[in-house]
């Protein structure tokens, strides 16, 4: 009779923690930073459709790193919880703390009862009437919840990004300054900018970032995304000329045709004597050539 496999509870929890940490560390980092007018979300995310940052309710935002399918299911569950609670009671009863506690219970239950834990790390942010009332809740894969004062960094090399922010961040920054500090912190550890010393990009560009804010100045829904030219302006990126911008210059300076090879019959490839074999030339010229 074979003996059943046995492992102590401590060893099982340790293995699950290591498994989840490895999965989260493989992702790109996300920084959530407070600024003078609200909360700023900055994620290294080149995808324009798979979002790491989202809106949960009127003045509550969501950011996540790790396995996309898992934190997307949590995001949808958080939106449903907020909608049901706001409809059943009052919209003011929907707070970031309520949603964060619900997430903590779900993550803790999965971590302790399921074979595989969620490979996710979450941040629930709520913007208040003033900077002192802004709330940032960081939730880990095992259901632990921490109330952070100024910023939250998750995924990737979170410790290095946090250290960079501690050196350069201070409360009361404007939007552009807070974005600059956050992008520099993410760029310092990003593999995309690892070759900056050899002529590579110095920092992440607008096309490689997902940026959004919870703006306390907006009356109801505080969440808005910053994309396109608005993001490039805040980052100071130079506009890249596209094909349509080059079109007038191309029309003004057409490409000169190549010189015909020796022995080519007259009218084939000679700019001074256009080819009329396709019937697009003048009929009188064609008749003269046939004679």
């Amino acid at each position: 009779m074979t003996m059943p496999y046995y492992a102590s509870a401590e060893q099982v929890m340790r293995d699950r923690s290591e498994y989840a940490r490895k999965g989260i560390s493989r992702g790109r980092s996300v920084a959530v930073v407070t600024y003078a007018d609200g909360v700023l979300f900055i994620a290294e995310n080149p995808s324009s459709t798979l979002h790491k940052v989202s809106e949960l309710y009127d003045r509550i935002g969501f950011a996540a790193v790790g396995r996309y399918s898992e934190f997307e299911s949590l995001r949808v569950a958080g939106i449903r919880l907020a909608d049901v609670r706001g409809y059943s009671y009052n919209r003011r009863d929907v707070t970031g703390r309520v949603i964060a506690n619900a997430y903590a219970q779900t993550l803790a239950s999965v971590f302790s009862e399921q074979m595989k834990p969620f490979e996710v790390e979450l941040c629930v942010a709520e913007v208040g009437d003033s900077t002192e009332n802004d709330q940032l809740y960081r939730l880990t894969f095992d259901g632990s919840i921490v109330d952070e004062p100024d910023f939250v960094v998750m995924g990737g090399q979170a410790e290095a990004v946090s250290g960079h922010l501690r050196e350069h961040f201070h409360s009361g920054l404007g939007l552009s300054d807070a974005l600059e500090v956050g992008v520099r912190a993410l760029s310092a550890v990003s593999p995309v900018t690892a070759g900056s010393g050899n002529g590579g990009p110095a920092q992440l560009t607008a096309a490689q970032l997902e940026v959004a804010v919870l703006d306390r100045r907006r009356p109801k829904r505080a969440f808005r995304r910053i994309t396109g030219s608005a993001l490039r302006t805040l980052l100071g990126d130079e506009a890249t000329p596209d094909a349509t911008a080059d079109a007038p210059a191309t029309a003004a300076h057409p490409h000169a045709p190549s010189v015909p090879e020796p022995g080519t019959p007259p009218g084939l490839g000679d700019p001074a004597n256009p080819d009329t074999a396709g019937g697009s030339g003048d009929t009188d010229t064609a008749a003269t050539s046939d004679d």
Side-chain angles (χ1 to χ4, degrees):
M1 180 178 178
T2 59
M3 296 294 295
Y5 174 76
Y6 171 79
S8 64
E10 182 180 0
Q11 182 63 41
V12 171
M13 295 302 176
R14 187 183 300 113
D15 291 343
R16 291 178 181 175
S17 298
E18 183 179 358
Y19 177 85
R21 287 193 182 97
K22 286 183 178 179
I24 295 170
S25 64
R26 287 193 291 265
R28 295 182 174 92
S29 299
V30 173
V32 183
V33 183
T34 59
Y35 72 104
D37 296 322
V39 180
L40 172 64
F41 301 87
I42 312 170
E44 183 182 354
N45 184 15
S47 175
S48 60
T49 56
L50 303 179
H51 296 299
K52 294 183 176 181
V53 177
S54 178
E55 177 185 23
L56 290 182
Y57 209 58
D58 294 344
R59 308 181 72 79
I60 304 174
F62 171 93
V65 294
R67 188 175 292 273
Y68 177 80
S69 60
E70 293 176 349
F71 70 68
E72 177 66 11
S73 64
L74 292 172
R75 183 189 70 87
V76 174
I79 293 174
R80 290 175 177 170
L81 171 64
D83 286 340
V84 171
R85 187 177 181 86
Y87 179 79
S88 302
Y89 301 100
N90 191 292
R91 300 185 75 88
R92 290 175 296 182
D93 294 330
V94 182
T95 63
R97 185 178 63 180
V98 169
I99 298 177
N101 286 334
Y103 279 149
Q105 294 175 10
T106 301
L107 290 171
S109 176
V110 172
F111 181 79
S112 60
E113 298 176 6
Q114 302 296 327
M115 180 64 68
K116 175 192 171 302
F118 276 5
E119 301 171 58
V120 298
E121 198 165 343
L122 311 179
C123 176
V124 177
E126 181 180 7
V127 64
D129 297 332
S130 62
T131 306
E132 293 76 14
N133 295 326
D134 293 340
Q135 300 292 328
L136 301 179
Y137 299 99
R138 177 180 179 178
L139 297 106
T140 57
F141 54 87
D142 59 353
S144 300
I145 179 172
V146 180
D147 183 8
E148 299 285 355
D150 296 320
F151 59 82
V152 172
V153 180
M154 306 177 296
Q157 302 181 36
E159 292 297 330
V161 178
S162 297
H164 192 284
L165 283 175
R166 290 190 193 98
E167 296 178 4
H168 300 87
F169 173 84
H170 59 85
S171 59
L173 289 174
L175 177 58
S176 58
D177 294 333
L179 180 61
E180 180 182 1
V181 171
V183 171
R184 285 184 179 179
L186 293 178
S187 302
V189 300
S190 173
V192 177
T193 59
S196 58
N198 299 323
Q203 71 176 27
L204 296 167
T205 63
Q208 298 164 335
L209 293 170
E210 180 183 359
V211 178
V213 295
L214 290 173
D215 191 343
R216 76 176 87 258
R217 299 171 300 176
R218 295 169 67 91
K220 291 186 178 180
R221 299 181 62 179
F223 184 88
R224 66 182 177 92
R225 296 188 182 276
I226 303 177
T227 60
S229 60
L231 179 57
R232 290 193 296 269
T233 301
L234 288 174
L235 292 174
D237 290 351
E238 296 181 358
T240 303
D242 53 11
T244 57
D246 293 336
T250 304
H253 302 283
H255 176 68
S258 59
V259 179
E261 294 291 335
T264 302
L268 296 180
D270 187 359
N273 191 6
D275 181 18
T276 57
S280 59
D282 186 80
T283 53
D284 294 337
T285 306
T288 304
S289 301
D290 290 336
D291 291 340

